[in-house]
Every structure is written in C-alpha cells, then in structure tokens.
Amino acid sequence: MALDHDSTKGHGPLDAISVPFEILKGWLRQLYEGDTFGCIRFRYALLVLDIVTVLFIIATSFLPRGGIVESLDVVFGVLILADFSARMIISRHPLHDLARLSTWTDVVVIISFLAPLAGEAGGFLRAFRTLRLLGDNQMVARLRIDSAFFRRNEEVIFAVANLGVFVFIMTGVVYETQKSHNPQIGNYADALYFTVTALTTTGFGDITLPGTVGRLITVVIMIFGVTLFLNLAKALLAPSKVRFPCPVCGLQRHDVDAVHCKACGTILNIPDEGLD
C-alpha cells in the first residue's frame, strides 16, 4: 500500500531540527520580552551582569594579568556570548541588528574576552561593553515603570553614564596609542589621569601626547568632554521633569506639577508620586 505523500511531511531531518529550535526561540523570546515576574527578574539579572562586567573591566585594567583574571575573562566571555547568541536567535530583524554599532561592539568584546589577549590591550577592547548599559531600550522602559528614582533622575543618570563611558573608552584609546613610545604613559592610571585633565581642560602639562595623532586625540577629548560636562550640568540644573506622554500632541516630559500640556494646552492627569 502506497504511503500518502502528505503523511511524510514534517518528519525529515530539517524538521527534526527546526521544531526544537522554534521551541527554544519561543522560550528565549518569553524570557527577554515577557511580562511575568520571572522574565522581569531575568532581565534585571542581565542588567546586573552588565554592571558587574563593567566593574570587572575597570578593576582589572589596573591589575597585572594572572591565572585568576584570565579564568574570569573566560567566564564573562561565555556569559556575554550566550546573551549575544540569545538576542540574535530571537531577533525579528537580524540583518538590521547586524548593521547596528552595538552588535559589533559586543562581537569585539566577546573576542577580547575569549581570545588569548593578554595585558591591558584586551582591556581597551572590553571598554566597548560600557555601551551596552546605554543601549537596552527595553530595560530602560522597565526601570521607568519600577523605579520612581529612575523616573525623577533619568536625564542625570544618562548624562553621568555617557560621561563615564566616554572617559573609560578614551582612556583606553590614549593607553593603546601611547604606551609603546610615550614614557609618560606607563600604565592605565597614567592614561586615565591625562584623559581627566584634558577633559576638564585643566591641562597641568606633566603628561602630554606628542605628535599629530596625540594632538588630535587631545582635541577630541577636550571638545566632546566639555560637551558632555555641559549636558551633565544642564541635567543637574534643569527643573525636575516627569515622563508622561500628552494624549494629544505626544509631548513626553512635563513639569512635576503640570496641569496643562505646554505644547497644546491639553489637561493632563499626571500620577502623583508624593513629590514635594
């Protein structure tokens, strides 16, 4: 008796692989995008991982390399690789995500952790991990819901984070470009010291970056550093705002005690969190 052609569908080797893969994708998507308590707790765990990774990168940039540090490199590298792989699996637009800067910075960070890179050169590449703290829009939206402190101080937090990211990355650039020929840059701390003095335009002059490349790096630090400082000052001195989209014109931020939208005059009903 001949087998029905349709009855043989869905039982090939590709189907045997695709079905478990779809189950895995659905499970991961629930973890990364779901609203259950467990999923939210998982995403907070990822945020903690990002913060711990950045602290580890900063701490080890000042320490000599050793077996313990290199073993921890592998642990962090595997964890970041697992997170990166999961995000790519659940991506609805993988080609678009591959074109994003944050995707390639994650690739660079993973390579720097897992490849046999020794010394502070690896630390320079790992500095790009700090960009992840600013780029997770879903986590930011979750923090707005869960934390009144974050809602009240969002602009200040982002201004401080941007400044910290810039200082850390430029310190790595200074160290990597100067350590081989500039005796004034003997370690990561020297590079950090120069970056801060250039960024604040203090310029004590005890450490300088010679040559055209060194001068260009100094100019970049000064220009962008002053801009980031001004953004931080603006965030600190500006009147407190709350994020509450106007239902008519869509204006996102309003004064804490606003009754009407400044853009269109619509009556607002901003939830009162007991602010003074």
Side-chain angles (χ1 to χ4, degrees):
M1 179 178 178
L3 292 175
D4 185 0
H5 178 71
D6 291 337
S7 66
T8 62
K9 291 183 179 180
H11 298 285
L14 292 180
D15 292 308
I17 297 174
S18 64
V19 172
F21 179 77
E22 289 300 321
I23 295 174
L24 174 64
K25 182 189 290 187
W27 179 71
L28 290 174
R29 186 163 287 164
Q30 175 66 19
L31 273 179
Y32 278 82
E33 300 176 359
D35 293 327
T36 65
F37 176 75
C39 296
I40 294 171
R41 187 170 59 179
F42 170 77
R43 291 197 291 274
Y44 272 113
L46 291 180
L47 176 63
V48 171
L49 172 63
D50 285 338
I51 294 173
V52 171
T53 303
V54 171
L55 294 176
F56 172 77
I57 293 169
I58 294 173
T60 55
S61 65
F62 294 97
L63 299 175
R65 304 294 295 180
I68 296 177
V69 173
E70 292 179 354
S71 297
L72 289 174
D73 281 351
V74 175
V75 172
F76 279 105
V78 170
L79 291 174
I80 296 171
L81 176 60
D83 176 46
F84 176 82
S85 301
R87 292 178 186 274
M88 293 306 298
I89 288 174
I90 66 174
S91 174
R92 293 177 172 83
H93 307 285
L95 294 180
H96 174 73
D97 288 340
L98 285 174
R100 296 173 58 184
L101 175 63
S102 60
T103 299
W104 290 103
T105 55
D106 276 351
V107 171
V108 169
V109 170
I110 291 168
I111 293 173
S112 71
F113 271 113
L114 296 180
L117 296 174
E120 295 174 17
F124 163 65
L125 295 175
R126 294 163 196 166
F128 289 106
R129 183 62 182 177
T130 54
L131 297 174
R132 167 61 65 185
L133 293 178
L134 306 177
D136 193 338
N137 294 328
Q138 190 177 46
M139 192 68 245
V140 170
R142 189 72 241 175
L143 286 170
R144 287 174 185 151
I145 296 172
D146 295 340
S147 173
F149 175 82
F150 184 85
R151 289 195 296 272
R152 291 195 301 268
N153 301 281
E154 181 177 343
E155 292 187 1
V156 175
I157 292 171
F158 271 87
V160 171
N162 276 304
L163 182 60
V165 168
F166 179 77
V167 169
F168 192 40
I169 290 179
M170 291 311 300
T171 297
V173 172
V174 170
Y175 181 79
E176 282 301 298
T177 57
Q178 299 295 311
K179 65 177 182 178
S180 62
H181 61 275
N182 189 344
Q184 295 177 316
I185 305 293
N187 51 51
Y188 207 82
D190 292 338
L192 176 62
Y193 171 75
F194 171 81
T195 301
V196 173
T197 57
L199 184 145
T200 58
T201 66
T202 305
F204 293 122
D206 51 342
I207 297 180
T208 58
L209 304 188
T212 301
V213 174
R215 292 187 178 93
L216 289 175
I217 292 175
T218 304
V219 168
V220 169
I221 293 174
M222 289 179 177
I223 292 176
F224 286 95
V226 169
T227 302
L228 291 171
F229 262 123
L230 290 176
N231 286 339
L232 177 57
K234 177 183 176 183
L236 288 170
L237 299 176
S240 180
K241 300 281 187 178
V242 293
R243 182 176 293 273
F244 184 84
C246 172
V248 176
C249 71
L251 183 65
Q252 294 289 313
R253 300 186 70 82
H254 303 275
D255 294 334
V256 176
D257 58 351
V259 177
H260 297 86
C261 175
K262 288 185 176 180
C264 67
T266 300
I267 296 178
L268 303 174
N269 185 22
I270 300 176
D272 185 2
E273 297 176 346
L275 301 176
D276 294 331

